[in-house]
């Protein structure tokens, strides 16, 4: 058995799957070659055009160095260990063995199936760019490079997952990002060993100091314009291969109360919308609990005229206010889960069943009152004004409802104070979650609840401790 066949056997003994293909061919002078690749994620057309075609036309006896010069592929590198060949083939590249040569050539032909760039479903904006990240890391890095052409842009490729070896791109601006922050994040990712990392949510757990916390420690972005803006403020961005959701750290709670459209619309409109999101968030979390606690413990909190309406609606109901609210919220959660996972052509019918059969019929049958349905429906709508916080706020709504139904308004106030104290004391890589309010950072208030004009945002957020704090250099001070 010659060296070529030994190399092929070494790879095939490990990669025994039928989609690992071996293509053997000869040059004009009889030199034998073998290309090994994974069918489905390696581009066979490029293999034929850039590798097989030029080598088949070679008339002279060529060595390994000459082979590299004949290849038309821009991604070519040397390989020595069979273990490296196995990793590259599994990753989607092709490995070229030459007869009589122990070493081999790695050719970048990775072309996994993926979708085209489109607007993300959860970050839709009326104004601004429509592009969103995809599951392909190269496409996502291209979208970032398209917007950040600075030579200070640093991209470091990492690997995570013992079996999957998922690629993770760590992105930051050199000279802006705080010293030591990229190294700390890299250490956190490298210190966790898991078989497979299919999505960025796994990496989010790795880089979180408290992965079991109800509140997250990293920001998310599905649009490259949002991601690049956060990186330019001094954050570190993480793009995970196979995930359309990028991560950014450090993180502040105010990030999720903002939208990319805020920076493309009038500042007055953006400020009003941000305040509306905060109020909606509070209403969505607390309204069901306050309604139940007022009915059970402090009925005088309800205005008299409204109390008469509620009394006429709940009279004769077999359930207590807390059980009624639990049942209504349970039905809503079931409908949401069912509509997400059912086929699209069934969702419409499910909505009709939920609205008419479970809603209207339950009210007419005297099982659930009309105010309960209105409150739960309005609460759900309010929570989705901040979609990035839905997981946390939905859980908090359940906790507040349990406390209100069992203890009363005192429990609602006490737990609210506990949550506030917890958020004030927590940090994300040295940045307080409640910044710029706790601690108070006056400079950063211009882009928090209030959206000031562009000239007020000439400095980067002070909370991130950016080395270069100035992001807008202009002689205009008042924007006139």
């Amino acid at each position: 058995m010659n060296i070529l066949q030994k190399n092929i056997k070494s790879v095939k003994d490990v990669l025994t799957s039928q989609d690992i293909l071996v293509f053997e061919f000869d040059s004009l002078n009889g030199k034998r070659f073998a290309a090994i690749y994974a069918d489905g994620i390696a581009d066979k057309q490029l293999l034929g055009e850039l590798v097989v075609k030029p080598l088949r036309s070679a008339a002279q006896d060529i060595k390994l160095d000459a082979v590299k010069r004949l290849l038309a592929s821009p991604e070519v590198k040397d390989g020595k260990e069979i273990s490296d060949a196995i990793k590259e083939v599994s990753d989607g590249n092709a490995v070229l063995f030459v007869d009589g040569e122990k070493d081999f050539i790695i050719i970048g032909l990775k072309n996994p199936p993926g979708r085209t760039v489109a607007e993300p479903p959860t970050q839709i904006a009326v104004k601004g760019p429509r592009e969103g990240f995809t599951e392909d890391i190269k496409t996502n890095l291209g979208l970032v490079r398209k917007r950040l052409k600075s030579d200070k842009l640093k991209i470091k490729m990492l690997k995570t997952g013992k079996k999957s070896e998922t690629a993770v791109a760590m992105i930051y601006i050199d000279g802006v990002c705080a010293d030591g922050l990229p190294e700390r994040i890299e250490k956190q990712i490298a210190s966790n060993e898991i078989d497979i990392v299919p999505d960025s949510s796994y990496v989010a757990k790795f880089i979180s100091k408290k992965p079991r916390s109800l509140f997250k420690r990293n920001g998310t972005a599905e649009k490259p314009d949002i991601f690049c803006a956060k990186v330019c403020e001094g954050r570190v961005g993480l793009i995970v291969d196979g995930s359309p959701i990028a991560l950014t750290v450090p993180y502040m709670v105010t990030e999720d109360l903002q939208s990319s459209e805020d920076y493309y619309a009038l500042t007055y409109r953006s400020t009003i919308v941000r305040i509306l999101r905060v109020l909606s968030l509070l209403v969505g979390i607390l309204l069901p609990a306050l309604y139940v606690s007022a009915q059970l413990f402090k009925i005088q909190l309800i205005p008299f005229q409204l109390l008469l309406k509620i009394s006429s609606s709940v009279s004769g109901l077999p359930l207590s206010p807390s059980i009624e609210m639990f049942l209504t919220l349970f039905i809503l959660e079931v409908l949401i889960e069912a509509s997400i996972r059912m086929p699209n052509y069934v969702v419409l019918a499910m909505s009709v069943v939920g609205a008419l059969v479970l809603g209207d019929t339950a009210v007419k049958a005297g099982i659930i009152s009309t105010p309960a349905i209105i409150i739960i429906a309005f609460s759900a709508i309010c929570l989705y004004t901040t979609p990035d916080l839905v997981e946390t706020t939905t859980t908090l709504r359940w906790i507040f409802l349990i406390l209100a139904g069992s203890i009363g308004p005192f429990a609602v106030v006490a737990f609210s104070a506990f949550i506030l104290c917890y958020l004030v004391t927590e940090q994300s890589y040295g940045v307080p979650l409640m910044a710029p309010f706790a601690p108070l950072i006056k400079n950063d208030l211009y882009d928090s609840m209030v959206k000031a004009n562009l000239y007020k945002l000439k400095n980067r957020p002070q909370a991130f401790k950016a080395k270069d704090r100035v992001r807008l250099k202009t002689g205009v001070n008042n924007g006139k």
Side-chain angles (χ1 to χ4, degrees):
M1 184 182 295
N2 56 26
I3 296 178
L4 179 64
Q5 295 302 321
K6 287 182 179 179
N7 287 335
I8 295 174
K9 185 177 184 301
S10 299
V11 175
K12 288 296 291 181
D13 285 345
V14 178
L15 301 176
T16 58
S17 301
Q18 294 183 356
D19 63 333
I20 305 299
L21 305 181
V22 179
F23 178 62
E24 298 185 50
F25 60 95
D26 299 323
S27 63
L28 288 178
N29 70 334
K31 191 76 171 183
R32 192 91 176 146
F33 301 92
I36 304 179
Y37 60 95
D39 191 22
I41 58 175
D43 195 322
K44 292 184 284 188
Q45 184 176 357
L46 288 180
L47 177 66
E49 292 291 331
L50 306 181
V51 179
V52 178
K53 189 175 180 180
L55 291 180
R56 270 184 170 171
S57 60
Q60 72 278 14
D61 187 17
I62 49 178
K63 299 295 183 181
L64 195 64
D65 291 338
V67 170
K68 290 192 294 184
R69 290 193 293 269
L70 287 175
L71 297 179
S73 174
E75 296 184 44
V76 176
K77 61 181 179 179
D78 295 325
K80 296 183 179 296
E81 302 293 335
I82 292 298
S83 58
D84 295 334
I86 293 170
K87 288 182 180 180
E88 293 294 338
V89 172
S90 301
D91 198 33
N93 297 320
V95 171
L96 180 67
F97 291 107
V98 183
D99 191 17
E101 300 284 351
K102 185 178 180 181
D103 296 340
F104 52 89
I105 301 172
I106 301 168
I107 307 161
L109 298 176
K110 187 191 301 185
N111 186 25
R115 60 186 177 92
T116 58
V117 176
E119 188 173 13
T122 59
Q123 292 185 345
I124 299 174
V126 178
K127 292 184 178 180
R130 300 289 192 271
E131 292 176 328
F133 286 130
T134 69
E135 287 75 13
D136 182 41
I137 191 170
K138 288 189 175 181
T139 303
N140 295 340
L141 289 176
L143 293 172
V144 173
R145 284 283 187 187
K146 176 183 175 180
R147 288 166 172 79
L148 294 177
K149 303 178 179 65
S150 171
D151 59 344
K152 300 295 184 181
L153 178 66
K154 302 298 180 183
I155 300 177
K156 187 171 184 179
M157 300 303 298
L158 311 173
K159 292 283 187 180
T160 182
K162 292 185 296 183
K163 298 292 189 295
S164 63
E165 293 197 357
T166 305
V168 179
M170 184 171 64
I171 304 171
Y172 61 96
I173 305 292
D174 190 23
V176 174
C177 181
D179 290 329
L181 181 58
E183 290 76 13
R184 291 173 61 190
I185 296 172
E186 181 181 357
K187 184 178 179 181
Q188 285 292 114
I189 295 176
S191 64
N192 288 272
E193 294 187 2
I194 190 172
D195 284 345
I196 183 173
V197 178
D199 185 72
S200 60
S201 59
Y202 279 57
V203 179
K205 301 294 189 302
F206 296 161
I207 63 177
S208 175
K209 298 293 185 180
K210 296 183 178 180
R212 295 180 181 88
S213 174
L214 181 60
F215 299 92
K216 61 182 184 178
R217 296 296 191 280
N218 59 271
T220 56
E222 292 188 65
K223 297 179 66 178
D225 58 318
I226 300 176
F227 180 82
C228 293
K230 290 185 177 183
V231 169
C232 285
E233 287 183 337
R235 296 177 178 89
V236 173
L238 296 170
I239 296 179
V240 181
D241 193 18
S243 175
I245 301 177
L247 307 176
T248 56
V249 284
Y251 164 76
M252 298 185 300
V253 176
T254 54
E255 292 180 32
D256 290 330
L257 302 176
Q258 301 168 355
S259 169
S260 63
E261 194 174 351
D262 296 346
Y263 298 90
Y264 308 128
L266 289 174
T267 56
Y268 308 105
R269 168 65 180 173
S270 301
T271 300
I272 293 173
V273 171
R274 287 184 180 181
I275 295 174
L276 181 64
R277 292 189 192 114
V278 175
L279 295 177
S280 300
L281 201 64
L282 295 175
V283 169
I285 296 173
L286 297 174
L287 183 60
L290 293 176
Y291 174 77
V292 170
S293 61
Q295 270 197 300
L296 291 176
F297 300 96
K298 292 287 184 180
I299 199 169
Q300 62 268 29
L301 294 176
I302 303 176
F304 182 71
Q305 294 296 328
L306 179 60
L307 181 61
L308 294 178
K309 292 287 185 181
I310 294 175
S311 300
S312 61
S313 300
V314 301
S315 60
L317 289 181
L319 304 175
S320 66
S322 56
I323 300 298
E324 177 196 14
M325 194 62 70
F326 275 122
L327 178 61
T328 309
L329 186 56
F330 175 76
I331 293 173
L332 174 68
E333 294 290 346
V334 170
L335 286 174
I336 291 175
E337 288 297 312
S339 13
I340 290 174
R341 286 160 179 80
M342 279 191 170
N344 291 334
Y345 50 82
V346 183
V347 172
L348 181 59
M350 177 60 64
S351 301
V352 174
V353 170
L356 297 181
V357 178
L358 294 180
D360 187 58
T361 307
V363 172
K364 290 180 178 178
I367 300 174
I368 299 174
S369 65
T370 304
I373 293 180
I374 294 174
I375 287 173
I376 290 298
F378 185 61
S379 171
I381 294 171
C382 287
L383 291 186
Y384 277 92
T385 57
T386 52
D388 291 330
L389 291 175
V390 164
E391 294 179 0
T392 300
T393 53
T394 302
T395 306
L396 286 176
R397 181 173 60 180
W398 278 104
I399 297 174
F400 273 109
L401 187 56
I402 293 172
L403 293 174
S406 56
I407 302 176
F410 174 77
V412 175
V413 175
F415 189 66
S416 300
F418 170 77
I419 292 295
L420 186 59
C421 292
Y422 178 81
L423 290 175
V424 167
T425 57
E426 288 300 303
Q427 294 184 345
S428 170
Y429 287 88
V431 177
L433 291 184
M434 291 299 292
F437 303 105
L440 182 63
I441 306 174
K442 293 182 179 180
N443 176 71
D444 296 355
L445 291 175
Y446 293 122
D447 191 17
S448 54
M449 287 284 292
V450 176
K451 170 61 175 66
N453 63 66
L454 185 63
Y455 296 99
K456 290 285 188 180
L457 305 178
K458 60 182 179 180
N459 292 326
R460 292 185 176 88
Q462 188 176 337
F464 297 137
K465 302 179 179 64
K467 290 188 287 185
D468 182 9
R469 289 200 55 206
V470 179
R471 61 179 168 187
L472 175 62
K473 295 180 180 179
T474 176
V476 181
N477 294 321
N478 54 8
K480 294 181 179 180

